[in-house]
Structure formats: C-alpha cells, structure tokens
Amino acid sequence: MLRNLPLYAKILIGMLLGLIFGFLIVIFGIQHFATDYIKPFGTIFLNLLKLIAMPLIFASLVSGISGLSDVSRLSKLGIKTISLYIVTTIIAVSIGLVLVSLIRPGSYVNEAKRVELLEKYSFDLAKRQQAAEGITQQSPLQFLVDIVPENVVSAASSNTSMLQVIFFAILFGVALILVPNSKVTAVKDFISGLNDVILKIVDIVMLFAPFGVFALMVSLLVDFVGTDLGSSAQLFASLGLYALTVVMGLILIIALVYPTFLWIYTKVSFKRFYRAIFPAQLVAFSTSSSAATLPVTMEQVEKELKVPNEISSFVLPVGVTINMDGTSLYQAVATVFIAEVFGIELTLVQLLTILITATLASIGSAGVPGAGIVMLIIVLNSVGLPVEGLALILAIDRPLDMLRTTVNVTGDAMIATVVAKSEGKLIEN
Ligand code: ASP
C-alpha cells in the first residue's frame, strides 16, 4: 500500500517518523546510536543531492539556452527574472520590519537572559564572525568579480560557487547559439542526452528521499535537543516570541504574497502550486539548503507545474543563489530584535538601511545551511549594532533556517511559474 503513495506523502511519513524516533532516542538517552547508525544515511542523502546539483545546472542550463532562437530573448528573460526576485525580496524585508516593530519581541528578553545567552554562545559566535570578516573587507563590487571564475573546474568543485557555474553555462549556451548549427549539432545532442541522464539520476535519488529525510530529522532533533530536553524547552520559551515573529512573517509570504503573485500573473491555483512544490518544501525543510534542494525543485516545477526546461533551468539556479525571501525577512527581524535587546532605538534611516542591506545580504547568502546568519553580520554592521548580538539568536537558528529555506525554495518556484507564463510557455492545467 505504501508503494502507491505519492512522493510527498512518503517524504512526509519519513519526516514524522524521524521526529518521533528523535524524541524517543533523546528520552531513552541513546543519542550515540543515532549519531553512529542513523545520521550517516542523512549525510548520504545530502551528498547525493549535492552531487547532482552542479551537473544538473550545467546540462540543463546549456540545453535550455541553446533551445532559444536568439540571444536577445535570454537578456530579456534575465532582466525579468532578476527584477521579480528583487521585488519579492523587498516585500519580504518590509513584512519583517513591520511585524518586528509591531510585536517587539526584544522587549521581552530580560537582562539576566541576555547575559546568559551572550555567555553561552559567544564561542560559536567567533567562528561566524571570522567567516564574515573576509566579506566585510571586500570591495563593494566584489560580488561581480566573484561571478566570473578563473577556472571552471575548480568552480564546479564547490557547491557555493553556483553563480560561477551558471556564468560559464550561459557563456557556453550563448556561444552554442552563435556558432552555425551544422557545426554543433553533435554538441547539442550530447548536452540534451546528458540532461536526460541527469534528470533520471534525480528520479533515482528521490526514491531514497523518504529514508534520507527520516535520517536527517532524527539527527537534527538529537543535535538540537542534546541531552537536556528541559533546558531546550526553556530556551525556546525565552526566544519564542522572536521565533514566532519570524514564523509569522514566513507564513504571510507563503499564504499571502506568493498566492497574490500567482493570482495576478497566472491561472495556476494556490492548491495546485503548493501540491506540486510540496516535496521540494519537505526536502528544503530537512536539509536547510536550497542549493541541495535544487534538483527536487527543478523536477517538481517541470513535471508538476509544467514549466518548460528552458525557463526553469535558468530561473531556478539563479534563484537559489540570489533569491532568498525567507532569509531576508529573518535578517530584518533578527536585526531589529538584537537592537531592542541591547536597548538601542533605531531611527527611520537605520530601518531603511536594514531594508537595503538585508536585501543585498540575502542576495549574497549561499543556499547552504547557516549562510543567512553569517551574512546577518553585515546587516548588523551597517547600522552599527554589536555583532555579539548574534549570540542571542544562535541557539534557535537551525529550526528557523529550516523554515526560511522552505520559503526560499517556494519563492524560486513561484517566480519560475510567473516567468514561464509571461513568456507564453506555461501549460496551465
Ligand atoms: N539555508 C538557507 C538556504 O539554503 C540560507 C540561510 O538563510 O541560511 O536557502
């Protein structure tokens, strides 16, 4: 019977069983069992997803671009996609700013809790600070330099260099259009065959998804709760309102902003969209990585939402690297929260600065776990807030990362659908 269930149901069952098992393991105190025998399967699943991300981007982007008849269509597609991504990010940051100003979660954290959190997490903080230091010393145009790789093989060897691989794939695809067809038919056929092979690998990997998600959930829960269920519960209570503000913002994006975009620009119903994208959301939630989720997002968007490969192969990988609505909202909420806990009143100009830097910082965040909190340091710096404030929110960053990644991935899929429609390439039912 289980065999005939749709993929999302199987993944959901894996996730729920993972949560139940995780709790039982903590209650019975057999965490080492989870670390030794369950966690490795989660890591294998994650590796499989990461393994196919780069070849998938390359093959599918090149075959998508070479299917376009002329280069000007590509630049139109690029401008449209990036503009939509920036608009949704600005909306997300604004929602975050409004919510955090109304709820004021920082005013509920007392002096004693503040000192405790700052002490407990300052070690972890040093690591993140180091990571961000390199970034803050760079030229403002460094992001442009970073897009162009000096060596394509080394770019393809790191999942954080997605934009570099996208750049090379676009260059390759454009050149393929410009060279006379008779000379490159073999190359085009090869790439299109390669693309089919990689999509088949995605299908195979997805068979393992319910088990992978199960293992990831067990190890996440065990890592997060540690050995002391009571103190984790306490922590949640003191940071609960902050977390709730982020979660409310994320729900607003999912339940209001995205459906509105879909409603204005397409005829795809809310229900159909979310049913199609649900497996990708579950994988995003359990991996906290939109980059690792890309193969699943692409598969769902193409198969279920009927967005053609020539659109999704461009819009989705670009989205994974630059479009992070969940992350940008979280960065805005976290910044204002930290200011409030430190008793610092923010001016209107500072709030506007947060709007701009959170938008840029989310663009600069890679689609990997914890990237958002590193880039948050830049937002804090921009308004002169103490970076130590990060220690306040580190404790519950992982669950929030899971949720914001889910939103990030959903945003990419929504824009892919809207762009496909605007290009007249969407089969809507
Ligand atoms: N984990 C997020 C993502 O992959 C980025 C972040 O907010 O940390 O989309």
Side-chain angles (χ1 to χ4, degrees):
M1 187 197 94
L2 276 179
R3 261 179 173 215
N4 299 331
L5 284 178
L7 179 66
Y8 77 84
K10 289 184 192 161
I11 302 181
L12 199 59
I13 292 174
M15 181 178 282
L16 294 177
L17 285 180
L19 277 178
I20 297 171
F21 257 71
F23 267 116
L24 290 177
I25 282 171
V26 173
I27 291 169
F28 288 113
I30 46 169
Q31 284 83 345
H32 61 91
F33 174 77
T35 322
D36 291 346
Y37 295 102
I38 299 182
K39 195 173 181 176
F41 291 101
T43 314
I44 291 174
F45 176 56
L46 210 55
N47 286 354
L48 283 169
L49 288 172
K50 290 181 188 166
L51 172 75
I52 39 179
M54 281 297 180
L56 178 69
I57 291 181
F58 182 76
S60 111
L61 197 49
V62 173
S63 82
I65 292 175
S66 63
L68 297 175
S69 44
D70 66 291
V71 182
S72 67
R73 271 200 49 211
L74 181 67
S75 56
K76 253 179 50 198
L77 194 69
I79 293 170
K80 200 185 296 175
T81 304
I82 293 172
S83 318
L84 280 167
Y85 278 154
I86 293 176
V87 169
T88 51
T89 305
I90 292 176
I91 294 176
V93 181
S94 312
I95 292 178
L97 286 176
V98 169
L99 278 181
V100 73
S101 310
L102 290 176
I103 302 175
R104 306 186 58 132
S107 57
Y108 296 87
V109 178
N110 60 27
E111 175 68 22
K113 197 77 222 170
R114 187 181 97 187
V115 173
E116 185 195 323
L117 284 167
L118 285 178
E119 272 174 13
K120 203 163 157 195
Y121 291 95
S122 55
F123 169 72
D124 220 1
L125 173 70
K127 276 193 304 193
R128 322 256 169 170
Q129 218 169 342
Q130 245 174 12
E133 234 153 55
I135 302 168
T136 38
Q137 283 161 4
Q138 291 166 351
S139 136
L141 293 185
Q142 185 61 34
F143 73 97
L144 277 181
V145 178
D146 287 341
I147 293 176
V148 186
E150 57 175 328
N151 182 315
V152 69
V153 180
S154 74
S157 69
S158 154
N159 278 347
T160 49
S161 319
M162 261 184 191
L163 269 186
Q164 300 193 341
V165 175
I166 294 173
F167 177 82
F168 181 71
I170 292 177
L171 206 58
F172 196 93
V174 167
L176 217 50
I177 302 179
L178 298 177
V179 174
N181 207 10
S182 58
K183 286 194 173 168
V184 287
T185 341
V187 183
K188 282 186 179 167
D189 286 349
F190 172 74
I191 300 272
S192 136
L194 185 69
N195 195 24
D196 288 344
V197 170
I198 291 166
L199 289 177
K200 197 34 101 195
I201 300 181
V202 177
D203 281 344
I204 299 171
V205 171
M206 286 317 286
L207 295 177
F208 183 57
F211 306 99
V213 166
F214 167 81
L216 283 172
M217 288 315 288
V218 170
S219 47
L220 271 174
L221 206 94
V222 170
D223 286 348
F224 184 66
V225 176
T227 45
D228 187 356
L229 208 61
S231 84
S232 313
Q234 235 180 24
L235 192 75
F236 243 100
S238 61
L239 290 176
L241 207 56
Y242 153 71
L244 198 74
T245 312
V246 176
V247 173
M248 275 170 64
L250 296 179
I251 292 177
L252 274 180
I253 296 182
I254 291 264
L256 206 72
V257 179
Y258 293 162
T260 309
F261 268 83
L262 282 175
W263 180 67
I264 294 177
Y265 293 107
T266 74
K267 285 202 205 82
V268 176
S269 75
F270 180 86
K271 221 169 111 193
R272 179 166 163 239
F273 176 77
Y274 281 106
R275 183 177 294 171
I277 200 67
F278 196 45
Q281 290 180 319
L282 293 175
V283 173
F285 181 77
S286 32
T287 59
S288 287
S289 168
S290 30
T293 312
L294 179 66
V296 190
T297 318
M298 210 174 240
E299 165 133 326
Q300 293 305 113
V301 164
E302 287 177 16
K303 277 198 183 152
E304 304 290 331
L305 289 170
K306 307 275 187 283
V307 172
N309 180 262
E310 60 179 87
I311 306 280
S312 71
S313 66
F314 174 77
V315 179
L316 292 177
V318 170
V320 161
T321 39
I322 70 166
N323 182 47
M324 300 203 175
D325 300 337
T327 301
S328 63
L329 175 135
Y330 142 85
Q331 285 169 335
V333 174
T335 309
V336 179
F337 172 74
I338 290 169
E340 204 161 29
V341 176
F342 280 101
I344 300 167
E345 198 72 46
L346 294 170
T347 61
L348 195 64
V349 175
Q350 280 175 313
L351 287 177
L352 275 176
T353 312
I354 296 175
L355 181 75
I356 296 166
T357 46
T359 305
L360 294 176
S362 71
I363 292 176
S365 306
V368 295
I373 197 162
V374 172
M375 296 303 276
L376 179 60
I377 296 179
I378 294 172
V379 188
L380 292 177
N381 276 338
S382 73
V383 282
L385 288 174
V387 177
E388 290 70 33
L390 274 198
L392 295 170
I393 55 165
L394 262 173
I396 53 161
D397 201 58
R398 186 61 195 237
L400 293 182
D401 194 0
M402 295 158 80
L403 292 168
R404 60 187 193 245
T405 309
T406 309
V407 173
N408 292 345
V409 163
T410 312
D412 298 342
M414 187 278 287
I415 298 291
T417 314
V418 168
V419 171
K421 167 74 186 187
S422 75
E423 292 283 305
K425 299 257 161 141
L426 188 68
I427 304 164
E428 286 182 283
N429 40 48

